Amino acid sequence: MQTKAQWGVAGMGVMGTSLSRNFAQKKIRLALYNRRIEGTEEEVALKKKQQFPELNQALAFEELKGFVAALELPRKILIMLPAGQPTSLFLEHLIPLLSEGDVVVDGGNAHFQETEARAKTLRTQGILFIGMGVSGGEEGALKGPSLMVGGEQKAYDILQADLFKIAAKNKNEAPCCAYFGTGGAGHFVKMVHNGIEYAEMQLLAEMVALGRSSLSYEQLQKTLSRWNTTESKSYLLEITAALLEYKEGATPFVEFIQDSASNKGTGAWATAAATQMGYPNTLMAAALHARYLSFFKKQRQQYGQRFGGPKSSITVSAEQLKKAYDLSRWVNHHQGFEMLRLAATHYNWSLNLSQVAAVWAAGCIIKSDLMDACIPLLANEPSLLDSKEFSQLITDNKEAWKQTLQQAVADEIPIPCLQSAWSYFVGIKTEHSSANIIQAQRDYFGAHGFLRNDRESEDLQHGPWST
């Protein structure tokens, strides 16, 4: 009798295949499943098994009953399918074939509330459900991803040893895998990861736009490469510098790419989740809206011709740009971690922010030297903005930040994330804000009431305009 598989992987797309190869390289016996659609998807799992030597001992299926039967008990099944309806339909067919105590892991980019609902439903059927955020792309999935786990603690206890084997290892040699709480906690952490990623990507795009006013692509590429040898080092900075090297003929290849940025929805989810909790994740929102604005290509062309484009006379040095970039990144990371802190209370999750930073320190898209620095800072400080490191950065870099902003505005170069970072920083340190005017306006037209700052009473008051 053939030895049964220790894990089943359903969905042989890019991520499912790479994770399967990772498992197999760690000597974990696998069963692979992919649906069959005549003429388009036929013997996909078998072809993957034949294509990659490490999968030659895996069992390949395109029939679900055989796939489930090939797994040892309790079954451990990783689903790597598109989020939403495809995953829901697959679960409808899978669940009746399972036994009590089996573990199902959704490794797709599911919305955390959808994961919460699935966990509750499957719990009533005795099935242990895990929502696991996976970051790192194709290469990370193969060589070691960052894994953010939420769901049943009992299920995580069953999976932990194998997940530690396939996860990336950070500089402290700790696996980039952790359990963050019940239900949708893992997918929530992944969603915030993607929100930080959106802002990091937009900040780099803004650096290129600002740099291009005075530097050639070749000079800019060398500048970003130099930055990547400093404390600014990150995966996204590395790849941004690298992609500027490519040419088609004498023209930098990026010039051929249409400037309409796509998104898969996680940035919008992160912005909406922050709104629901009342948290100002301004950089994530600015990065999302920058992508939305990029879609209006025809309107941008029309208005550019009507009102004129950028002045292209920027005088900010590469050193000033870097200082503005570094400070904006600190604000971006601060907002992401503070959003997680609020969510832990809001949803009663066991989120340890230092542990989150440790999971994000390798294997994922936002890995960086700054993330490495966040591990001890978040273990010892109330927040990143409370750290002496940030205070020193403000002392050293704030004037360059302001000069960069002023020059960008003067030259009409859009910098939504740089501006959002600055506005948040200035706002969070403004002791007496203009919100008193907002409260007065609300009371004037709607009698909503307000608190007086010269009284200790929590009873709402009304202004003289209401008498």
Side-chain angles (χ1 to χ4, degrees):
M1 182 178 293
Q2 192 170 35
T3 304
K4 292 200 171 186
Q6 296 167 286
W7 276 78
V9 180
M12 289 290 104
V14 170
M15 291 295 287
T17 299
S18 292
L19 285 170
S20 296
R21 294 175 63 194
N22 190 343
F23 272 115
Q25 289 168 2
K26 306 306 185 297
K27 308 303 180 184
I28 294 170
R29 300 189 306 278
L30 294 177
L32 311 177
Y33 169 83
N34 200 88
R35 65 181 181 178
R36 181 182 180 87
I37 300 178
E38 296 295 333
T40 57
E41 295 184 49
E42 297 179 351
E43 298 184 334
V44 174
L46 178 61
K47 290 174 183 176
K48 298 294 184 181
K49 169 187 167 78
Q50 294 170 340
Q51 180 180 358
F52 299 106
E54 58 266 50
L55 295 178
N56 62 12
Q57 296 300 312
L59 308 174
F61 297 91
E62 53 185 1
E63 184 267 320
L64 201 52
K65 285 185 180 180
F67 169 71
V68 172
L71 299 171
E72 66 181 21
L73 299 176
R75 300 179 181 92
K76 300 184 286 288
I77 299 176
L78 172 61
I79 302 172
M80 295 303 299
L81 297 173
Q85 189 177 24
T87 297
S88 295
L89 290 174
F90 178 76
L91 285 170
E92 286 181 16
H93 292 96
L94 174 68
I95 298 307
L97 304 176
L98 301 183
S99 305
E100 185 174 346
D102 287 348
V103 182
V104 175
V105 182
D106 180 3
N109 268 333
H111 192 282
F112 75 98
Q113 290 178 331
E114 186 174 46
T115 301
E116 289 271 351
R118 283 174 177 155
K120 290 178 181 178
T121 299
L122 295 181
R123 189 180 303 120
T124 64
Q125 301 176 51
I127 306 300
L128 302 175
F129 187 70
I130 287 288
M132 184 173 72
V134 180
S135 181
E138 180 180 4
E139 182 177 356
L142 176 61
K143 297 181 179 179
S146 172
L147 303 174
M148 295 146 267
V149 183
E152 300 280 354
Q153 176 71 59
K154 180 181 177 182
Y156 181 66
D157 292 341
I158 294 170
L159 306 178
Q160 185 188 60
D162 288 341
L163 295 181
F164 275 16
K165 290 178 183 177
I166 69 166
K169 306 297 185 295
N170 62 29
K171 289 182 178 179
N172 298 321
E173 289 301 313
C176 292
C177 172
Y179 173 78
F180 294 120
T182 58
H187 277 142
F188 190 95
V189 173
K190 176 58 162 54
M191 177 187 71
V192 173
H193 165 286
N194 284 22
I196 294 173
E197 177 186 309
Y198 269 52
E200 291 289 284
M201 294 171 70
Q202 178 62 31
L203 282 169
L204 282 164
E206 291 171 22
M207 291 299 101
V208 172
L210 291 167
R212 281 289 295 128
S213 294
S214 57
L215 300 173
S216 68
Y217 274 115
E218 183 178 358
Q219 291 170 322
L220 187 54
Q221 189 277 327
K222 290 179 179 178
T223 297
L224 296 185
S225 294
R226 282 197 304 272
W227 290 8
N228 206 45
T229 64
T230 70
E231 70 284 348
S232 304
K233 182 179 180 180
S234 74
Y235 172 72
L236 284 170
L237 177 57
E238 176 188 344
I239 68 169
T240 304
L243 62 85
L244 294 180
E245 289 189 274
Y246 291 87
K247 293 183 178 181
E248 187 168 298
T251 305
F253 189 81
V254 291
E255 289 289 331
F256 295 106
I257 301 175
Q258 187 176 111
D259 57 328
S260 297
S262 303
N263 74 92
K264 291 186 176 180
T266 48
W269 294 351
T271 302
T275 300
Q276 290 167 359
M277 295 188 298
Y279 185 75
N281 63 339
T282 59
L283 272 86
M284 295 183 195
L288 174 70
H289 292 150
R291 293 196 187 192
Y292 288 165
L293 182 59
S294 74
F295 273 105
F296 292 85
K297 178 70 174 178
K298 289 184 179 179
Q299 290 92 326
R300 290 190 288 114
Q301 290 173 327
Q302 291 169 359
Y303 290 129
Q305 293 170 6
R306 181 176 179 181
F307 299 116
K311 308 286 185 186
S312 298
S313 61
I314 196 165
T315 58
V316 177
S317 68
E319 182 182 1
Q320 288 174 314
L321 282 178
K322 183 178 182 301
K323 290 179 177 180
Y325 173 65
D326 287 341
L327 277 170
S328 299
R329 291 188 67 221
W330 272 75
V331 175
N332 180 34
H333 283 64
H334 169 79
Q335 289 186 352
F337 283 113
E338 290 304 292
M339 185 175 166
L340 289 176
R341 189 191 306 278
L342 184 61
T345 301
H346 190 83
Y347 295 107
N348 194 31
W349 290 331
S350 55
L351 294 180
N352 179 308
L353 299 188
S354 179
Q355 186 181 47
V356 174
V359 169
W360 288 347
C364 69
I365 303 301
I366 60 174
K367 60 185 178 183
S368 67
D369 280 8
L370 175 55
M371 194 63 73
D372 286 329
C374 287
I375 300 172
L377 288 180
L378 291 169
N380 298 299
E381 301 285 356
S383 78
L384 294 185
L385 297 198
D386 287 294
S387 68
K388 65 180 184 299
E389 287 83 356
F390 182 74
S391 294
Q392 187 62 53
L393 206 62
I394 284 292
T395 299
D396 295 341
N397 296 0
K398 187 171 75 169
E399 287 306 308
W401 200 9
K402 291 164 64 175
Q403 290 164 6
T404 302
L405 291 160
Q406 290 164 358
Q407 190 65 53
V409 171
D411 286 353
E412 300 179 17
I413 297 174
I415 48 167
C417 273
L418 276 173
Q419 285 179 318
S420 293
W422 171 256
S423 295
Y424 178 88
F425 168 70
V426 172
I428 204 70
K429 72 180 185 69
T430 299
E431 295 182 47
H432 302 290
S433 76
S434 59
N436 59 326
I437 304 301
I438 303 298
Q439 288 299 83
Q441 292 167 338
R442 295 178 73 248
D443 187 62
Y444 194 102
F445 68 69
H448 293 293
F450 51 79
L451 298 177
R452 290 184 62 124
N453 57 25
D454 59 347
R455 300 178 187 176
E456 294 184 1
S457 172
E458 294 296 316
D459 294 331
L460 293 176
Q461 307 295 309
H462 296 282
W465 43 77
S466 62
T467 58

